[in-house]
Amino acid sequence: MNACAVTGHRVLGKNFSAAKLEKALRSLAAEGIDTFYCGMALGFDALCCETLARLKGEFPIKIVACIPCADQSARYNAREKRRYEQLLSVCDEKIVLHERYEQGCMFERNRYMVDRCSVLLAYLENDRGGTFYTVNYAKKREKRIIFL
């Protein structure tokens, strides 16, 4: 299994570095990771997807959009919806877990990605929330975890 899942916060902290993110994704692709699972949320996920789209010109990689519910972008503003649709268009595969939002569907999406990856790339700044949950799930599943 040569796959990586990404997880991170919707709001990126002052210490976040897009250059470090690109370096980490480039390094994973260079070591043979060929499939990247992206949860398609605002913030870290979107930035990962954009970066991976650029790297597709250099590496034979596949981006898999893991969408928790078909109406994921329902509460996004017009600009965020355009960006979301643009990001979906660069993905090689789209997996939609639920037709509509259901309680727990975001966590289900995160478990889905971790279960299919060999490595998790995480931007974790808080010890609560979806990213914290996903990192702990990956630890239980004995996945390799790279922290940005």
Side-chain angles (χ1 to χ4, degrees):
M1 182 174 6
N2 289 333
C4 172
V6 300
T7 187
H9 305 299
R10 286 183 177 85
V11 177
L12 304 175
K14 292 177 193 159
N15 68 341
F16 179 79
S17 165
K20 284 183 182 175
L21 171 62
E22 182 168 343
K23 183 178 179 185
L25 290 170
R26 182 181 299 280
S27 176
L28 286 164
E31 78 176 46
I33 298 292
D34 59 9
T35 303
F36 290 85
Y37 290 95
C38 186
M40 304 308 292
L42 297 173
F44 185 77
D45 287 1
L47 200 52
C48 284
C49 191
E50 287 173 345
T51 305
L52 288 165
R54 287 194 308 273
L55 293 177
K56 282 174 86 172
E58 299 174 48
F59 298 97
I61 58 175
K62 176 173 132 178
I63 305 170
V64 179
C66 295
I67 303 163
C69 50
D71 58 352
Q72 180 177 18
S73 65
R75 293 187 174 156
Y76 293 0
N77 65 38
R79 185 180 54 78
E80 292 166 342
K81 281 185 182 184
R82 279 192 305 275
R83 183 179 184 208
Y84 179 78
E85 292 301 323
Q86 185 178 17
L87 291 174
L88 283 177
S89 74
V90 302
C91 293
D92 301 286
E93 187 178 342
K94 295 163 198 68
I95 295 160
V96 180
L97 298 179
H98 296 279
E99 200 53 42
R100 289 186 180 74
Y101 176 83
E102 293 181 21
Q103 188 169 351
C105 70
M106 304 292 181
F107 293 118
E108 182 181 344
R109 181 251 340 255
N110 297 343
R111 289 190 305 271
Y112 178 94
M113 295 191 308
V114 169
D115 288 344
R116 285 154 182 80
C117 77
S118 50
V119 61
L120 179 70
L121 179 64
Y123 173 66
L124 177 64
E125 293 287 302
N126 305 311
D127 59 355
R128 58 181 158 51
T131 301
F132 182 68
Y133 171 89
T134 305
V135 166
N136 283 328
Y137 183 73
K139 286 178 181 176
K140 287 178 194 155
R141 302 280 297 167
E142 299 181 346
K143 302 292 181 168
R144 175 179 160 210
I145 302 171
I146 297 171
F147 291 98
L148 280 183

